[in-house]
Amino acid sequence: MYEALMRRRTGEQNQDAAHRASLRRVESTFEGFSEDYLAYEEDQRTEVQRIDIVNVIRRDTGAPSWYSGAKTEMGEWPEYRERIKKGLPDAAIDAIHGSTERILSQCANPMSPGDRRKGLVIGYVQSGKTANFTGLIAKAVDSGYRIIIVLAGMYTNLRIQTQLRLQKDLGTETAKDGAGISWIPLTRPDADIGKGLSSAYLGHNASTAVIITKKHETRLKNVADYLDSIEPSLLKKRGVMIIDDESDQATPNTLGEKDGISTVNQRIRDLWKAVPTGTYVAYTATPFANIFIDPSAKDDLYPDDFITALPEPTGYMGSELFFDVAQNADDDPDEAIHQLAREVPKDDAEIFRPPLKKIDDFAPEVTPSLEDAIRWFLIATAVRELRAGERQHSSMLLHTSQYIAVHSLTKDVVMDFLRRLNFDGEDEKPAFRALFDVEKDRASLLRGSGRMPGWEEIWDKTKTVLERVVVKIDNGKSDDRLVYKAEDPQTVIAIGGGTLSRGLTLEGLVVSYFLRSSNTYDTLLQMGRWFGFRPGYADIVRVWMGPGLLDDYAHLARVERQLRDEVKVMERERRTPQEFAVKVRSHPGRLEITSRGKMSAAMLVHAGLGGTRRQTIYLDRSRPTLQKSREAASALVRRALEHGGQPMAAPSGSTKESPTLVIPGLREPDLSEFLRGYWVSATDRWLQPDVFSDWVKRHAPEATWNLVLVSGGGNAEHEYSDGISVSTSRRAPVDSDHWKPSKLGVDLPEESDVVNIRALMSGDDHLIDLRTLAANDMISNECREIIDRFDSGDEGEPVRRTYAEARAMRSVIRPDEGAVLLYAIDGDSQPDPKSKTRTAMNADGAVIGFGIVFPHVVAEDRHEYWAVELPERNDEEGVFDPAGYDGEADTSNQDLP
């Protein structure tokens, strides 16, 4: 079943004997580990994982793509693919292939000395992330990476588990004949990374070092010292890939609020600093602490270059299935949500809450809700066995407290209850039958092809299950911990605390009775061991939760979904983690997102489209689209004039003959009609006519819009309508070496000629209409004073304001008014001679650019969100080149809901 698990005696004729000898060696150091690993492998064999299409937020540096795809015949990836065929269906393997292709394409080119990237991969709790990063490692090695470092959590058992998994799936302990790479393992199951390791073998290009270490101060220092010991010119040519598993644990700086750096965080920073060429990839299901790392601290581990959100795998039972997240009366009342989770009554929960200073006086008892949970565990185990035709591992989680003394007392009363059930025998049948009748069809939509046997058949099987059920404690001091032997399926009620909260897999988990609370998102999610794959028995899985926890997990389900939506928005906008701060919705007064020490770089922000600005940075300069865009713009100007709006010149110190003009009075139908004739890239869904119209009708039906015809610094004139002209603006697009239309990832018009100008709006363009209204006495004196203070501050000197401040001011002065800005971009716009990334516009006449400021909406989104503050960046970092613009261009393309 698991032959060649530790082939450290490669070359011996009897590989079985070599394997058994190796396993005995591990067993002598870590008692019970062989059984743990057998159970772990069995879990992988039944796991159904589908990670098909990922959403990647990437750094658009303009560098050409270096990755040409995975090897198909000979290499580490083809071999890995063959190995996992025994345990995973083809669809799951193809899904791993697809996701790792896109992840690796965003990593550093190992053949380009000095290329360094940092990224984040977001998975799901208990979803099998190891299979994904193992596939990534295989492809990375095939592509030229020669030093692989896996940071395998904080605990020895998890490090060993990962070591054995990679030995088995990648064959890192197996010598190879002929061409290909040669694995050089620097760690073993019984030995973490040591000191003074030789690096002489790296002189051979095929030699590939692999290190699996835990996140411990000394071990991390040893890894960094090893890299430092390699001759610099050689190390620069040996691409390093660091996989940080459970990257939200220990990796983020926990002392940021005290202006300090926590030990493990500093050691991983040192390790990354020692990498001249390579990639740091963080893997986690709870990324809150990672996305709150200070992005301005360049030596820290913020994912500057890409974020990947793996979609929910097929067959995975996640938070949206267990908990109510839609809160929509229109939802089908027969949905599976609500049918899997139960709330423990407050009185029952109180019985398991020991007095803080008198634990010795604690006397738990099996409450009615716990009785139901245990009975259902026995019934559900019986149903599973009848469906499968054989015994399988079956577990119940009983997690009520973090106190070890409570675990022992709870075990005693649970065992007493099981003995009572055995003693009463047939007298218990009515109570079991009543519970079965209530529960059997609650989640029938998840049953699939599985049958629900008749009651008498179930009852007979339940009695045999009851005879063999055992109760075990798994905590830091238990001497009879969980061991799942493949040849001896366990039926176990597991009682515990911290060790059951992260990393440990409860085989065949059917029922969870969970009262333990936490005040942080990440801890609560990691304690959700009921998440995962339940093939063939999803309909009989149940969770009993303490008071308030159902609401907490429902909130977390919404947070997870919205966070992944944020990643999708960023990917759609082709923006990077350095340009787009992923927001996390808060739960004021109830939960913290993560520990306070990890949130020192985060700030409170708000979400919603209301009050935000957007702009077209992708412009089609093809003749048909240019003509349509000009016609749409002219028609919009005529509609504004027809509504009775009078053009007003914007105040300006410029002496140019054609000033910027403001015409008030547009309404939603005018703008929707304009958008139907004006091409906007499909990557900006909010500026698609139907989406835009729907938002306005729902959130701002009475809003009016001021039309701003921006007059730029160009030498040409553009006439929108009779007597309505402006000077053109200069916007030089990014050249074809640094951007191509194919990067949009959407279908384009047949004869399109799309360019990317990076940014359209300049400086305070979004406030032009308000300043013009003030100059023409069309707002109150009080509002004019607000604008004056905004511009000059309390001391009367010019003040540089943030966009957030401008947005707040607009919400006070004109909350019900939006602004629409049209730019006539000179078709002959030229880049600054010093520019290295820009080219001439080369369009036949003016190209129309479109910007918009949405009216303020009070009730659109009342929730609070947290995000990091992003540093301003320049073109060398791949954002925009001021030389391509007239005036001060805004580095943020638009604000996102």
Side-chain angles (χ1 to χ4, degrees):
M1 174 179 168
Y2 55 100
E3 292 178 352
L5 179 64
M6 296 172 59
R7 291 183 182 174
R8 296 168 56 196
R9 300 186 182 184
T10 301
E12 293 186 14
Q13 184 174 0
N14 190 336
Q15 285 293 299
D16 288 339
H19 163 70
R20 288 193 296 272
S22 298
L23 191 59
R24 283 196 299 271
R25 181 174 176 181
V26 178
E27 184 72 14
S28 66
T29 305
F30 302 98
E31 185 176 355
F33 188 80
S34 59
E35 290 85 0
D36 282 337
Y37 186 76
L38 283 172
Y40 179 78
E41 185 180 40
E42 180 65 21
D43 180 70
Q44 300 307 306
R45 191 171 275 109
T46 59
E47 175 180 313
V48 180
Q49 173 180 305
R50 180 175 177 82
I51 306 175
D52 43 11
I53 299 175
V54 298
N55 301 298
V56 180
I57 304 172
R58 64 184 186 179
R59 180 178 178 183
D60 185 6
T61 60
S65 177
W66 65 271
Y67 183 60
S68 58
K71 292 185 177 181
T72 58
E73 299 297 331
M74 297 181 63
E76 298 308 308
W77 166 252
E79 290 186 15
Y80 174 63
R81 187 166 188 154
E82 283 300 313
R83 288 187 182 101
I84 60 177
K85 276 185 176 180
K86 297 178 182 179
L88 292 175
D90 288 344
I93 297 171
D94 289 343
I96 294 173
H97 171 56
S99 62
T100 51
E101 285 290 276
R102 294 192 58 188
I103 295 170
L104 186 56
S105 70
Q106 304 308 311
C107 293
N109 182 355
M111 302 302 181
S112 178
D115 193 3
R116 303 171 82 242
R117 308 286 179 91
K118 289 182 292 183
L120 170 66
V121 178
I122 305 171
Y124 286 84
V125 175
Q126 299 277 89
S127 67
K129 296 184 297 297
T130 305
N132 192 270
F133 72 65
T134 304
L136 180 63
I137 290 171
K139 292 182 179 181
V141 170
D142 284 341
S143 299
Y145 279 86
R146 288 298 177 261
I147 301 175
I148 304 298
I149 301 168
V150 180
L151 310 183
M154 295 178 61
Y155 305 110
T156 298
N157 62 339
L158 294 180
R159 190 204 72 80
I160 298 172
Q161 177 177 283
T162 303
Q163 177 91 39
L164 290 172
R165 176 75 179 273
L166 292 180
Q167 287 181 189
K168 171 181 176 291
D169 289 347
L170 293 180
T172 57
E173 292 291 297
T174 304
K176 295 183 178 181
D177 296 324
I181 66 103
S182 175
W183 291 107
I184 308 295
L186 300 183
T187 57
R188 304 190 306 270
D190 58 348
D192 204 333
I193 185 76
K195 297 180 179 180
L197 296 175
S198 172
S199 60
Y201 54 82
L202 284 177
H204 193 290
N205 189 51
S207 297
T208 303
V210 57
I211 300 168
I212 295 93
T213 187
K214 64 174 178 281
K215 286 187 269 190
H216 180 275
E217 176 186 7
T218 301
R219 302 303 182 182
L220 293 170
K221 185 178 186 302
N222 289 346
V223 179
D225 289 346
Y226 166 73
L227 294 181
D228 287 337
S229 72
I230 301 171
E231 201 278 320
S233 62
L234 176 63
L235 180 60
K236 200 169 187 178
K237 298 176 182 178
R238 298 294 184 262
V240 179
M241 174 164 283
I242 301 174
I243 302 291
D244 188 350
D245 194 17
E246 303 290 352
S247 61
D248 64 303
Q249 188 180 41
T251 296
N253 184 16
T254 59
L255 300 178
E257 64 178 350
K258 299 178 181 179
D259 296 324
I261 300 177
S262 52
T263 301
V264 171
N265 175 255
Q266 182 63 64
R267 291 304 186 198
I268 299 178
R269 290 192 196 196
D270 294 342
L271 174 58
W272 175 239
K273 185 178 180 180
V275 175
T277 304
T279 305
Y280 167 86
V281 186
Y283 272 80
T284 181
T286 49
F288 312 113
N290 301 85
I291 62 177
F292 288 158
I293 293 172
D294 186 355
S296 66
K298 295 303 180 183
D299 63 333
D300 210 340
L301 301 164
Y302 181 76
D304 294 316
D305 301 291
F306 65 89
I307 298 178
T308 299
L310 301 176
E312 187 171 274
T314 300
Y316 176 76
M317 299 184 71
S319 55
E320 292 200 27
L321 194 61
F322 280 97
F323 308 110
D324 179 17
V325 297
Q327 295 182 321
N328 189 336
D330 295 331
D331 284 341
D332 186 339
D334 294 326
E335 280 187 299
I337 53 176
H338 285 314
Q339 310 313 316
L340 301 175
R342 297 283 179 277
E343 184 165 75
V344 174
K346 185 176 181 180
D347 290 344
D348 284 16
E350 286 294 331
I351 290 173
F352 281 95
R353 184 172 290 118
L356 294 179
K357 297 182 180 180
K358 297 182 180 180
I359 293 182
D360 291 341
D361 296 336
F362 175 60
E365 61 185 73
V366 176
T367 61
S369 60
L370 182 53
E371 287 186 2
D372 283 348
I374 294 174
R375 286 192 176 98
W376 182 251
F377 168 61
L378 299 171
I379 293 171
T381 301
V383 171
R384 280 192 69 202
E385 292 185 9
L386 290 170
R387 286 179 178 175
E390 62 180 358
R391 284 178 56 183
Q392 299 173 320
H393 291 308
S394 187
S395 302
M396 173 179 172
L397 167 65
L398 181 49
H399 191 161
T400 63
S401 173
Q402 71 270 37
Y403 296 112
I404 291 175
V406 172
H407 300 160
S408 298
L409 294 170
T410 302
K411 178 181 179 180
D412 291 342
V413 298
V414 170
M415 292 184 66
D416 288 343
F417 177 68
L418 291 171
R419 281 192 287 267
R420 194 194 88 193
L421 294 180
N422 263 307
F423 181 80
D424 290 345
E426 289 296 320
D427 292 341
E428 283 290 330
K429 185 175 181 179
F432 276 84
R433 175 61 189 267
L435 181 63
F436 172 74
D437 289 341
V438 170
E439 295 290 337
K440 64 177 181 178
D441 292 325
R442 280 189 179 273
S444 58
L445 289 176
L446 300 178
R447 187 168 297 157
S449 59
R451 73 182 183 98
M452 180 58 75
W455 167 246
E456 293 301 329
E457 187 180 11
I458 291 174
W459 175 241
D460 288 341
K461 179 63 72 172
T462 300
K463 289 184 288 185
T464 66
V465 171
L466 178 58
E467 292 172 358
R468 66 172 187 267
V469 66
V470 296
V471 183
K472 292 202 173 187
I473 295 175
D474 199 299
N475 59 36
K477 294 187 176 180
S478 58
D479 54 7
D480 186 24
R481 304 180 74 167
L482 291 169
V483 176
Y484 292 97
K485 299 180 180 180
E487 68 277 10
D488 182 21
Q490 300 291 297
T491 304
V492 60
I493 297 176
I495 300 171
T499 61
L500 300 180
S501 295
R502 187 188 283 263
L504 181 65
T505 297
L506 293 173
E507 306 291 341
L509 182 60
V510 181
V511 171
S512 300
Y513 192 87
F514 185 79
L515 302 181
R516 172 89 177 273
S517 186
S518 171
N519 65 346
T520 63
Y521 291 7
D522 41 15
T523 303
L524 269 180
L525 279 173
Q526 289 290 348
M527 286 195 292
R529 309 320 290 172
W530 49 87
F531 299 137
F533 300 93
R534 305 291 181 263
Y537 60 104
D539 62 311
I540 55 178
V541 171
R542 297 291 185 272
V543 180
W544 274 261
M545 308 197 77
L549 285 174
L550 280 177
D551 289 338
D552 287 347
Y553 275 99
H555 174 78
L556 292 180
R558 288 189 289 273
V559 167
E560 277 195 291
R561 184 173 59 187
Q562 290 175 345
L563 185 147
R564 293 169 191 279
D565 286 345
E566 285 271 289
V567 173
K568 291 177 183 178
V569 169
M570 189 190 296
E571 193 271 340
R572 186 169 58 241
E573 298 287 341
R574 315 302 290 179
R575 302 173 78 185
T576 78
Q578 277 286 349
E579 299 170 312
F580 185 116
V582 175
K583 300 188 295 295
V584 180
R585 181 171 161 181
S586 67
H587 198 323
R590 175 68 180 177
L591 296 174
E592 300 290 340
I593 297 173
T594 187
S595 63
R596 291 184 180 274
K598 298 177 183 178
M599 291 186 63
S600 59
M603 62 181 182
L604 186 65
V605 296
H606 293 272
L609 199 60
T612 64
R613 60 184 174 181
R614 303 187 77 79
Q615 54 191 305
T616 53
I617 63 172
Y618 306 115
L619 304 173
D620 187 352
R621 59 187 177 183
S622 66
R623 289 189 178 184
T625 300
L626 285 177
Q627 184 62 31
K628 290 179 182 178
S629 297
R630 292 169 193 154
E631 291 174 357
S634 294
L636 185 62
V637 172
R638 289 194 298 271
R639 280 193 291 272
L641 295 173
E642 290 168 1
H643 289 319
Q646 295 300 312
M648 296 175 286
S652 171
S654 173
T655 58
K656 57 188 177 184
E657 295 182 1
S658 300
T660 294
L661 300 175
V662 177
I663 310 174
L666 289 173
R667 304 300 292 262
E668 177 274 326
D670 305 316
L671 299 182
S672 296
E673 185 63 23
F674 164 75
L675 288 172
R676 290 186 181 93
Y678 179 86
W679 181 82
V680 178
S681 169
T683 56
D684 196 333
R685 66 182 297 267
W686 296 106
L687 295 185
Q688 305 305 312
D690 291 339
V691 177
F692 171 84
S693 177
D694 179 66
W695 183 90
V696 175
K697 289 175 179 176
R698 285 188 293 115
H699 297 294
E702 301 302 320
T704 59
W705 306 72
N706 300 315
L707 177 60
V708 180
L709 305 177
V710 179
S711 191
N715 297 321
E717 291 282 309
H718 178 74
E719 186 178 69
Y720 286 102
S721 183
D722 292 340
I724 306 294
S725 298
V726 297
S727 297
T728 55
S729 298
R730 294 191 297 265
R731 299 290 187 272
V734 180
D735 64 35
S736 59
D737 289 335
H738 293 86
W739 189 86
K740 290 181 172 60
S742 59
K743 288 191 174 185
L744 287 174
V746 297
D747 293 331
L748 297 171
E750 191 168 314
E751 299 180 1
S752 65
D753 184 12
V754 176
V755 295
N756 178 3
I757 62 171
R758 297 279 194 196
L760 174 70
M761 300 172 72
S762 299
D764 290 338
D765 285 2
H766 54 283
L767 297 177
I768 289 174
D769 61 328
L770 296 187
R771 293 191 172 112
T772 303
L773 294 175
N776 285 270
D777 296 325
M778 295 184 67
I779 60 175
S780 67
N781 291 333
E782 181 181 1
C783 288
R784 279 203 300 273
E785 291 175 1
I786 292 174
I787 293 175
D788 290 340
R789 289 200 303 273
F790 179 89
D791 290 337
S792 303
D794 295 331
E795 303 298 327
E797 297 294 330
V799 177
R800 183 181 178 86
R801 299 289 190 179
T802 66
Y803 177 68
E805 292 172 315
R807 181 176 172 181
M809 183 189 74
R810 190 175 190 102
S811 71
V812 172
I813 295 176
R814 280 290 195 270
D816 299 320
E817 284 185 6
V820 176
L821 299 92
L822 296 182
Y823 296 75
I825 299 172
D826 197 327
D828 192 39
S829 293
Q830 299 292 323
D832 186 281
K834 297 179 181 179
S835 174
K836 297 179 181 180
T837 63
R838 301 283 171 161
T839 188
M841 179 63 78
N842 288 334
D844 186 12
V847 181
I848 303 300
F850 167 65
I852 189 169
V853 180
F854 286 85
H856 181 71
V857 177
V858 175
E860 181 188 5
D861 190 334
R862 295 174 287 104
H863 303 292
E864 292 182 349
Y865 294 77
W866 288 81
V868 293
E869 183 174 9
L870 298 175
E872 292 191 11
R873 308 176 67 217
N874 55 43
D875 188 62
E876 291 303 314
E877 297 171 295
V879 180
F880 94 113
D881 179 4
Y885 303 84
D886 56 88
E888 179 187 358
D890 194 330
T891 60
S892 60
N893 294 338
Q894 51 244 338
D895 300 279
L896 299 171

